[in-house]
Amino acid sequence: MLIRTPQAWELPESAATPESLYHLSKRRDFLKALGITGAALAAREALAATAGFPSKVNAAYRDPALKPTAYEHITSYNNFYEFGTDKAEPKVYANRGWKTEPWTVEVTGLVNHPLKLDVNDLVEKMGGAEQRVYRLRCVEAWSMVVPWDGFQLSKLIALADPKAEAKFVKFTTFLDKASSPGQRQGNLDYPYVEGLRLDEAMNELSFIATGIYGKAIPNQNGAPLRLVVPWKYGFKSIKSIVKLELTDKQPKNTWQVLQASEYGFYANVNPTVDHPRWTQASERVIGGGLGRQKTLLFNGYEAQVASLYQGMDLRKFY
Amino acid sequence: MTEKILRSKVVVWTLLVLPGLWPLWPIFIRPDPSVTADPFKYVLHHWGFVACLVLAVVLAFSPLRVLWPKWGVAQALNRHRRLVGVAAFVYAALHLSTHLIYEGGLDLAAIPATLKTALGKPFQLTGLIAFTILSVLAGTSVKAAIKWLGGKLWKNIHRLAYVAAALAAYHQAAARKLFPMQVVWIFGPLLILEIARVWKQRQPASGVK
């Protein structure tokens, strides 16, 4: 007799959030619901990728135990140093004329089919957007739960067809000093760069987000498309990507360039490896008042990603 | 006029208490989602910021008086040195208590572990030492302590306030991932005043009438 044990993420149809609640379909409808019309709508409409909505909820990546953080917290508590180092600044400065549409992304380097295309065309090519609910753990010891809309990164990489020598993916964000106060100040080494090992990038969890809560992703969250690697600290999930480059050398990510003793290449969430200045054993829950919870190894995604790091000393490769 | 206002204890008390109440505004009165996302972190940082500010301000009183001995405002401010100094300690205590309570997620039993973590991390340890110094200074701020310790020893002990300020400046800078300019605005003017004071005190007395 076969006894089937339900997986942690499985949930009955009845437990799913009604579609109407989850996404107010297109960005236009959402803005209308907010009462933004006419000129204001036209001005804000041209901000981010709108293709692919409404997205389909992917129940395989929606742990019913996870309670999504409120939209207003996700979109007003941001680390996006291109637009200021305080949490409240990106929402203000990323919406002062920075254009995220049209937006072109390229996949280049050690690939057989280099790509260069508009982000909306890319989403169509990926077969539209799906929604996944992931934990997000920042290196500063706070966490959120975000319903992301987008597509699995492996699909995009497969489309470009990596060559056998390709071992890493280097991601680069935009460089536009006129629109970015942080880049004008030079508070970090810009453009922001991140990297993954190719097998990490091809993992089922690695995701490219073009939306949050079924709506086009706001500028302050990394419009029009960003990486989401939920088992790593948030700084790995680079925002507003313009280029993916397949390479045979491990890329130097921006935070590692700034302070290699504090920020590594891997940056896997690990409660037993402290940041030199603070502990990573627990995390503050955004929107959770006084709530604090224990941090989980690989941010709770051990089953999916632990095999990537077998035999590696996670203290050394932090 | 200014000096008359500054002589008033009520005015100084108000100036010291109001900054500490500021978080009520973005949390309750006009809620700001970037603050309500993590309100206790906001309060923690805010009280730490006020502690640094008040400490820098009280340390500026004495060089101001040395540099401009006849300036009424400097004289008025120096009447409040003890009160303002104790306020710096109170804000530092509020800041540390918030950290201890919040880091343990309201679990009081977790406080020893939180303190132990702090001892092992220079960023947190500097803050803890600065707080310890301020506690000693606050504890010996009563008149009886001057009598008991003797004026000279008391004065030397209270010079530790400069050590506390230096540690607090480091602690504040290390609290962010990138160096915050705030530290320069708070402690920079104090540093300039102190250099000017030392320079003036080294001038030969002959030039003074």
Side-chain angles (χ1 to χ4, degrees), chain A residues 116 135 170 280 292:
Chain A
K116 191 166 186 176
R135 294 186 190 87
K170 177 183 170 187
Q280 298 289 24
R292 204 173 176 94

Side-chain angles (χ1 to χ4, degrees), chain A residues 32 35 43 65 121 142 172 177 183 283 290:
Chain A
K32 269 186 186 151
D121 298 340
W142 53 262
T172 308
K177 287 193 177 176
Q183 290 181 347
E283 63 208 34
L290 265 177

Side-chain angles (χ1 to χ4, degrees), chain A residues 72-73 76-77 79 81 85-86 88 139-140 187-188 255 258 263 274-279 282 284 286-287 289-290 292, chain B residues 32-41 101-106 117 120-124 173-178:
Chain A
E72 64 162 0
H73 286 152
S76 53
Y77 190 82
N79 273 335
Y81 282 17
T85 54
D86 279 341
V139 75
E140 298 165 3
N187 56 18
L188 283 174
W255 280 102
L258 181 87
Y263 311 100
D274 274 3
H275 185 281
R277 285 180 270 157
W278 54 84
T279 166
S282 64
R284 306 186 306 279
I286 295 303
L290 265 177
R292 204 173 176 94
Chain B
D32 173 346
S34 78
V35 174
T36 56
D38 199 353
F40 284 83
K41 179 78 174 181
I101 292 170
Y102 195 35
E103 199 69 15
L106 268 192
T117 303
K121 298 193 180 293
F123 155 52
Q124 301 185 20
R176 298 296 183 94
K177 297 218 295 287
L178 297 181

Side-chain angles (χ1 to χ4, degrees), chain A residues 50 152 154:
Chain A
T50 48
Q152 196 165 308
S154 64

Side-chain angles (χ1 to χ4, degrees), chain A:
Chain A
M1 190 178 77
L2 176 77
I3 297 173
R4 203 176 153 276
T5 318
Q7 296 293 306
W9 42 259
E10 283 183 46
L11 74 167
E13 195 57 34
S14 60
T17 309
E19 201 177 16
S20 60
L21 260 180
Y22 235 95
H23 35 68
L24 287 148
S25 83
K26 283 184 195 283
R27 184 184 176 83
R28 185 187 300 270
D29 298 339
F30 170 64
L31 292 173
K32 269 186 186 151
L34 285 180
I36 299 168
T37 48
L41 178 63
R44 299 216 45 188
E45 188 75 25
L47 282 178
T50 48
F53 296 108
S55 55
K56 308 169 283 290
V57 172
N58 186 339
Y61 300 95
R62 190 158 184 271
D63 179 348
L66 293 180
K67 189 175 164 278
T69 305
Y71 182 80
E72 64 162 0
H73 286 152
I74 296 173
T75 56
S76 53
Y77 190 82
N78 305 103
N79 273 335
F80 197 172
Y81 282 17
E82 279 82 346
F83 298 101
T85 54
D86 279 341
K87 298 285 183 290
E89 284 177 329
K91 190 177 179 175
V92 177
Y93 296 106
N95 291 298
R96 284 208 179 152
W98 176 45
K99 284 187 79 165
T100 54
E101 195 175 35
W103 191 278
T104 309
V105 197
E106 61 175 324
V107 187
T108 155
L110 300 172
V111 290
N112 291 314
H113 302 298
L115 301 165
K116 191 166 186 176
L117 72 175
D118 177 76
V119 62
N120 283 311
D121 298 340
L122 174 64
V123 175
E124 301 290 355
K125 229 176 182 141
M126 295 288 104
E130 64 172 65
Q131 187 171 84
R132 297 182 179 189
V133 178
Y134 280 161
R135 294 186 190 87
L136 171 75
R137 170 63 156 79
C138 179
V139 75
E140 298 165 3
W142 53 262
S143 71
M144 292 179 175
V145 173
V146 185
W148 299 107
D149 306 277
F151 52 86
Q152 196 165 308
L153 173 61
S154 64
K155 284 201 226 170
L156 173 57
I157 293 174
L159 197 66
D161 189 15
K163 291 182 176 167
E165 315 93 83
K167 294 284 177 283
F168 297 92
V169 188
K170 177 183 170 187
F171 301 82
T172 308
T173 194
F174 74 100
L175 185 63
D176 175 6
K177 287 193 177 176
S179 307
S180 158
Q183 290 181 347
R184 282 201 297 277
Q185 285 163 18
N187 56 18
L188 283 174
D189 194 15
Y190 291 115
Y192 195 92
V193 167
E194 259 306 338
L196 293 174
R197 241 166 44 193
L198 185 54
D199 59 344
E200 294 179 316
M202 296 302 284
N203 185 275
E204 54 165 318
L205 291 179
S206 298
F207 197 68
I208 295 288
T210 57
I212 292 173
Y213 268 106
K215 306 185 271 270
I217 194 166
N219 281 4
Q220 64 269 28
N221 291 82
L225 82 168
R226 62 171 292 169
L227 179 67
V228 181
V229 273
W231 72 96
K232 292 174 179 285
Y233 292 120
F235 69 84
K236 292 295 291 183
S237 292
I238 181 170
K239 299 182 176 81
S240 307
I241 302 166
V242 296
K243 189 165 83 175
L244 290 81
E245 187 184 350
L246 280 283
T247 155
D248 54 359
K249 284 181 284 293
Q250 181 172 304
K252 275 223 170 239
N253 46 326
T254 301
W255 280 102
Q256 192 188 13
V257 170
L258 181 87
Q259 188 63 276
S261 61
E262 299 190 340
Y263 311 100
F265 172 76
Y266 285 95
N268 291 320
V269 176
N270 191 333
T272 64
V273 179
D274 274 3
H275 185 281
R277 285 180 270 157
W278 54 84
T279 166
Q280 298 289 24
S282 64
E283 63 208 34
R284 306 186 306 279
V285 182
I286 295 303
L290 265 177
R292 204 173 176 94
Q293 62 192 25
K294 283 209 166 9
T295 292
L296 304 168
L297 181 60
F298 299 119
N299 205 21
Y301 298 100
E302 199 177 349
Q304 292 91 336
V305 302
S307 61
L308 292 168
Y309 310 104
Q310 228 148 36
M312 279 175 67
D313 179 356
L314 296 176
R315 294 196 155 271
K316 198 174 156 210
F317 299 99
Y318 56 83

